Amino acid sequence: MAPSEDVPDITITCEACGTDTTVPFPDVEDTIEAHNERQHDGEAVAEIDPAVKSRLQDLLAEEMGLFD
C-alpha cells in the first residue's frame, strides 16, 4: 500500500480484559493474535469490535454484489 493512501483504523475489543484499542487495518490480525497469546494463552477472546465487524461484512457483501 502506498504511504500516501489513508489506512482506516479498526477498533479491537476484549471483553475479558475490559479493553478497547484502535489500530491501523493492516495490523489488526497481528494485534489480536498477540493480545490473545499474551493475555489469554492463545484463546480467541479479543476481536474486532462487533459493530465494526458487521459494517465491514456489509461493505464486502455490497462490493461483491451479494445484495443485488
Side-chain angles (χ1 to χ4, degrees):
M1 187 172 285
S4 62
E5 291 184 53
D6 289 330
V7 177
D9 289 336
I10 303 293
T11 301
I12 297 171
T13 62
C14 181
E15 289 187 22
C17 293
T19 59
D20 295 327
T21 189
T22 303
V23 299
F25 182 74
D27 299 335
V28 169
E29 185 176 3
D30 290 340
T31 302
I32 290 173
E33 185 176 324
H35 174 86
N36 286 332
E37 284 296 323
R38 263 190 332 274
Q39 302 296 325
H40 307 292
D41 295 325
E43 184 179 341
V45 177
E47 63 180 356
I48 294 174
D49 180 283
V52 173
K53 187 187 316 183
S54 177
R55 181 65 180 136
L56 286 172
Q57 289 169 332
D58 289 346
L59 289 171
L60 287 171
E62 282 179 34
E63 182 68 26
M64 295 172 65
L66 299 176
F67 292 141
D68 294 340

